[in-house]
Amino acid sequence: MIYKTDIKSLLFSEVEQLIREMGLPAFRAKQIFSWLHEKQVTSFDEMTNLSKDFREKLNDSCTIAALTPVEILTSKLDGTQKYLFRLADGNVIESVLMKYHHGNTVCISTQVGCRMGCKFCASTLDGMERNLTASEMLEEVYRIQHISHERVSNVVLMGSGEPLDNYENVMRFLDLITEERGQNLSARNITLSTCGLVPEICRLAQERRQITLAISLHAADDKTRQELMPIARKYSIQEILQACDDYFEKTGRRISFEYSLVAGVNDNREEAEKLAELLRGRNCHVNLIPVNPIKERDLKRSDRKSVETFREVLEQRGVNATIRREMGSDINGACGQLRKSYKESTDTKEEGEE
Ligand code: SAH
């Protein structure tokens, strides 16, 4: 098989270089980049201001990543949409469109599956298949804009996968989605959520991007955290907090902490007090998420009262905290559940066909 360039993953300067190598005038790079990232076409044939000859040449040496929608679920409650997309290699991923007053937000996946193994999460049940390319991540945003006819102003990297476990491609995605010749999204409107890979957080801090860093903490002590998240055996909460301080120092960006509340595991008053103790004095925000139970694990959601109490304890101790508003609860399925149920239904079909 001839190796073709994934042209939508190329930075503008790389498209320029490609065009130069093809012996064509540099201004063509601008046109191509605009077709790919502003008009978001999925074939070279649509690039009508390029000659047929040139389009064929490009087609011979490059591919344009495109996602195919397999299923779209729309919430009757708030218009939230869950998209199941097929990638060129047949893998499926999911993305979500949420409509908030402050603008439309797309939640993207960064890997096919995940290898972090968090107990409450559906995305990791079958492990990780592969990293997504920058172009595939961009396509999650581009296809949703096209299908929904909505302009997307915010992106959160909170779908399936661990973004910092796919570091290079995720940075490339960030470069491209904030590129002024493309979508020109503000870095401040992007949130990257991580389970806490300490060296990569420090590496990210060095880049001094203006994105918001969200840390999936989910516990106030290492022992409880280890019960929920295998990564906690590698990095302690203290190490994570130090990396967060470093991030704040270098970027000036307030850190978000996510805390999924699991009944009887991490949701009592003492846990809230411990968390407040840990975070007091830090410029941060805590997002409380009553856990969305998955059928494969015996974890229960905290009741409303425990969630409220947890929030109050934090607030009383000077730690900003909000309870995450549940979006699209009628089409629910936490992170990775749609993909999981789709995979199960197609696997069963295949087995039945034998
Ligand atoms: N790997 C990244 C981003 C993906 S998940 C991370 O760990 O941050 C986005 C957030 O949803 C994380 O805080 C994750 O822990 C949480 N999450 C995943 N499944 C959940 C569930 N079933 N209920 C509540 N929160 C969940």
Side-chain angles (χ1 to χ4, degrees):
M1 204 181 81
I2 306 162
Y3 175 76
K4 288 190 174 189
T5 304
D6 167 17
I7 194 166
K8 208 184 284 178
S9 287
L10 298 185
L11 305 178
F12 181 70
S13 58
E14 293 167 337
V15 176
E16 279 186 316
Q17 195 186 337
L18 178 87
I19 299 308
R20 229 177 291 127
E21 280 165 10
M22 288 173 87
L24 291 152
F27 76 92
R28 294 289 180 200
K30 244 188 207 145
Q31 293 176 323
I32 295 172
F33 201 86
S34 157
W35 282 114
L36 292 172
H37 299 282
E38 275 185 315
K39 301 182 196 84
Q40 303 166 353
V41 300
T42 53
S43 73
F44 291 108
D45 277 342
E46 292 164 80
M47 302 186 177
T48 47
N49 55 2
L50 308 181
S51 74
K52 193 156 184 289
D53 196 37
F54 182 25
R55 290 191 322 241
E56 273 171 15
K57 241 176 153 174
L58 283 168
N59 201 27
D60 288 342
S61 57
C62 303
T63 55
I64 304 181
L67 301 188
T68 317
V70 181
E71 203 174 331
I72 304 171
L73 303 176
T74 306
S75 162
K76 291 191 184 69
L77 302 175
D78 52 34
T80 294
Q81 289 189 315
K82 276 216 160 194
Y83 289 76
L84 192 70
F85 287 116
R86 180 173 291 111
L87 309 173
D89 66 359
N91 274 309
V92 290
I93 55 166
E94 59 182 83
S95 328
V96 188
L97 169 67
M98 292 163 289
K99 295 173 185 168
Y100 293 108
H101 292 304
H102 63 264
N104 294 318
T105 300
V106 168
C107 172
I108 66 159
S109 293
T110 53
Q111 296 179 315
V112 181
C114 183
R115 57 179 184 152
M116 295 297 134
C118 300
K119 283 284 160 11
F120 41 79
C121 183
S123 303
T124 199
L125 289 168
D126 296 331
M128 188 193 63
E129 197 67 43
R130 69 170 173 87
N131 282 328
L132 292 184
T133 60
S135 57
E136 287 166 336
M137 291 182 257
L138 288 168
E139 265 292 288
E140 294 182 63
V141 181
Y142 295 178
R143 268 334 99 204
I144 287 181
Q145 289 195 134
H146 273 252
I147 295 168
S148 67
H149 303 290
E150 298 276 356
R151 161 89 190 157
V152 172
S153 54
N154 298 63
V155 172
V156 295
L157 286 71
M158 288 189 184
S160 299
E162 166 49 49
L164 296 184
D165 188 36
N166 181 15
Y167 195 91
E168 305 291 341
N169 292 349
V170 165
M171 293 308 121
R172 196 168 263 278
F173 163 78
L174 294 176
D175 285 338
L176 284 164
I177 197 92
T178 55
E179 160 68 64
E180 56 183 34
R181 299 177 190 88
Q183 286 300 289
N184 196 13
L185 227 72
S186 160
R188 289 170 173 255
N189 291 358
I190 301 173
T191 300
L192 182 153
S193 176
T194 175
C195 63
L197 305 185
V198 169
E200 283 77 13
I201 295 172
C202 296
R203 189 172 166 198
L204 185 66
Q206 296 282 357
E207 304 208 12
R208 292 181 161 75
R209 293 175 191 266
Q210 285 296 298
I211 61 169
T212 299
L213 179 66
I215 304 286
S216 299
L217 203 57
H218 306 326
D221 64 82
D222 288 322
K223 190 170 166 291
T224 310
R225 195 161 192 266
Q226 284 165 9
E227 281 170 30
L228 293 170
M229 308 172 76
I231 194 69
R233 286 185 224 129
K234 198 159 178 191
Y235 305 112
S236 69
I237 292 176
Q238 276 313 322
E239 288 173 306
I240 293 175
L241 293 180
Q242 267 166 27
C244 289
D245 290 345
D246 182 37
Y247 190 86
F248 179 70
E249 215 171 90
K250 295 212 166 73
T251 63
R253 301 289 292 159
R254 185 178 80 158
I255 310 283
S256 275
F257 290 98
E258 291 154 283
Y259 196 105
S260 296
L261 290 150
V262 186
V265 176
N266 64 358
D267 67 338
N268 62 22
R269 175 176 273 277
E270 291 77 67
E271 295 281 341
E273 286 166 0
K274 251 191 277 175
L275 183 64
E277 190 58 37
L278 275 180
L279 301 181
R280 204 186 353 227
R282 284 196 160 83
N283 200 335
C284 68
H285 180 90
V286 176
N287 239 315
L288 298 170
I289 319 162
V291 82
N292 204 331
I294 56 173
K295 66 176 190 319
E296 291 83 357
R297 300 265 191 268
D298 191 26
L299 295 176
K300 293 188 182 59
R301 163 191 289 252
S302 305
D303 58 46
R304 194 73 211 168
K305 190 159 178 302
S306 315
V307 177
E308 264 305 330
T309 308
F310 203 96
R311 192 188 67 84
E312 280 164 19
V313 170
L314 292 175
E315 287 282 344
Q316 282 158 6
R317 286 161 177 72
V319 176
N320 265 315
T322 43
I323 300 167
R324 182 173 293 171
R325 185 154 69 94
E326 233 179 309
M327 299 292 283
S329 50
D330 53 335
I331 52 164
N332 230 343
C335 204
Q337 280 186 7
L338 178 59
R339 169 172 174 263
K340 178 92 180 123
S341 59
Y342 175 79
K343 269 184 65 191
E344 277 167 1
S345 72
T346 49
D347 287 353
T348 336
K349 250 186 245 152
E350 275 161 24
E351 276 162 28
E353 275 160 13
E354 274 174 12

